[in-house]
Amino acid sequence: MCHVRYNRDMKDTEETKEFYTVHEAAHRSGLAPKTWYEGGAGTSDVPRIRFGRSIRLLRKDVERFISERIAEAECAARGNNRQVLPTQKS
């Protein structure tokens, strides 16, 4: 069995970090941690991973969520936020 000791000099940087805590995701997105815990504001689309009692989110999923929200906001700002609704029969 191979044991890897944690080296205090090995700090997780933004580029090397694979998981975010709920608080880190909240900080990155500008949303409250409670929103991430409860799955509000569309955050329920981001899969949660449990490590015991801790909840972690994949960095790539959080970054994708943020990118999608930015793209939606830019579309809305340009006036391209029209949705195609199904026609109703009378």
Side-chain angles (χ1 to χ4, degrees):
M1 181 186 285
C2 179
H3 295 282
V4 178
R5 296 191 66 176
Y6 179 75
N7 183 347
R8 292 178 200 268
D9 297 330
M10 295 172 50
K11 298 203 182 203
D12 286 332
T13 63
E14 196 69 28
E15 297 82 31
T16 62
K17 194 165 201 164
E18 188 172 354
F19 297 100
Y20 281 153
T21 65
V22 169
H23 288 275
E24 290 169 330
H27 179 74
R28 287 282 298 133
S29 65
L31 297 171
K34 183 176 180 179
T35 304
W36 283 96
Y37 279 117
E38 295 177 355
T43 61
S44 60
D45 296 339
V46 180
R48 277 108 171 107
I49 302 166
R50 285 197 160 271
F51 293 106
R53 291 175 32 184
S54 300
I55 297 174
R56 297 293 184 263
L57 306 135
L58 280 172
R59 178 180 154 277
K60 65 179 181 144
D61 291 339
V62 172
E63 297 300 330
R64 184 181 321 118
F65 171 82
I66 294 168
S67 296
E68 289 171 356
R69 295 312 168 276
I70 290 170
E72 288 172 6
E74 289 173 347
C75 255
R78 287 191 303 257
N80 297 333
N81 59 350
R82 295 183 209 144
Q83 295 180 356
V84 177
L85 301 174
T87 58
Q88 296 179 347
K89 293 184 179 180
S90 314

